[in-house]
Amino acid sequence: MCRLARCGLVAEGCGETDAQVLYRLLSDLYILPISENPFLRLCSFFRLCVFGDVPYSTAKKIFHKDKRTVDEKKVIRLAKQTLLSTAEIVKCFERNKLDFCCEEEPLDTLYYDEFTTSDNIADMISCLLECRPVMLSAANLYLRKQIIFERI
């Protein structure tokens, strides 16, 4: 297992509580939203109903639009704007910054002091109150196949 973890094939997290384990597991991973093209969804729905011999009610359940919580919407909104790790998204929540107008603004928002770096941001913000809602939102979005995690 240690070799698989070193190669990045499995992930591991440790901690005293479930929130700590989840935070250590996800904090260094980058969030990439999976795009939802409405035209593609409509075409797939039509093909499934007409050519796939799937009843309309079953196809409707498959293509039902997932309802997101407020925090999940914020996570997706930030992830669509720029490539951010989960820890960086926590920092954006803490600073109440959900929109970026230029490419340099995320860096100015996240690394505004001389102590915070991309290597230590996960350790520095682990005690913030915003960690739990962001981690739960990211985990739920991943389980519902709306985002993927990437190690960069």
Side-chain angles (χ1 to χ4, degrees):
M1 286 301 287
C2 291
R3 182 182 287 173
L4 293 173
R6 253 184 278 126
C7 293
L9 298 174
V10 295
E12 64 180 343
C14 59
E16 295 177 9
T17 65
D18 57 349
Q20 287 177 347
V21 172
L22 185 62
Y23 179 75
R24 290 186 181 141
L25 182 66
L26 301 180
S27 63
D28 292 331
L29 300 176
Y30 288 84
I31 294 178
L32 300 171
I34 297 173
S35 66
E36 293 183 359
N37 186 339
F39 180 71
L40 183 62
R41 286 176 56 91
L42 183 63
C43 290
S44 299
F45 179 79
F46 181 73
R47 286 182 54 201
L48 195 61
C49 288
V50 175
F51 302 115
D53 296 329
V54 175
Y56 173 77
S57 59
T58 305
K60 186 177 174 185
K61 288 179 187 176
I62 292 171
F63 286 92
H64 183 261
K65 184 116 171 127
D66 192 34
K67 299 206 185 309
R68 297 177 181 152
T69 65
V70 174
D71 289 333
E72 291 171 352
K73 289 177 185 177
K74 290 178 184 177
V75 168
I76 291 287
R77 185 172 167 183
L78 283 167
K80 283 183 177 180
Q81 292 180 44
T82 185
L83 185 63
L84 295 171
S85 70
T86 310
E88 291 170 338
I89 289 178
V90 172
K91 187 71 169 183
C92 289
F93 268 52
E94 188 248 340
R95 305 263 337 250
N96 200 20
K97 188 67 175 170
L98 300 176
D99 290 313
F100 301 116
C101 60
C102 63
E103 291 183 18
E104 292 81 27
E105 194 171 0
L107 295 175
D108 295 339
T109 300
L110 298 170
Y111 306 107
Y112 59 93
D113 60 3
E114 58 190 47
F115 305 110
T116 308
T117 65
S118 60
D119 294 329
N120 68 4
I121 191 168
D123 296 328
M124 292 186 75
I125 63 160
S126 62
C127 60
L128 294 178
L129 294 175
E130 289 82 4
C131 282
R132 189 171 182 90
V134 171
M135 292 300 138
L136 291 176
S137 297
N140 287 334
L141 288 167
Y142 176 76
L143 291 174
R144 291 196 318 262
K145 298 178 177 116
Q146 296 179 10
I147 63 168
I148 57 174
F149 291 112
E150 186 71 35
R151 186 176 307 271
I152 297 177

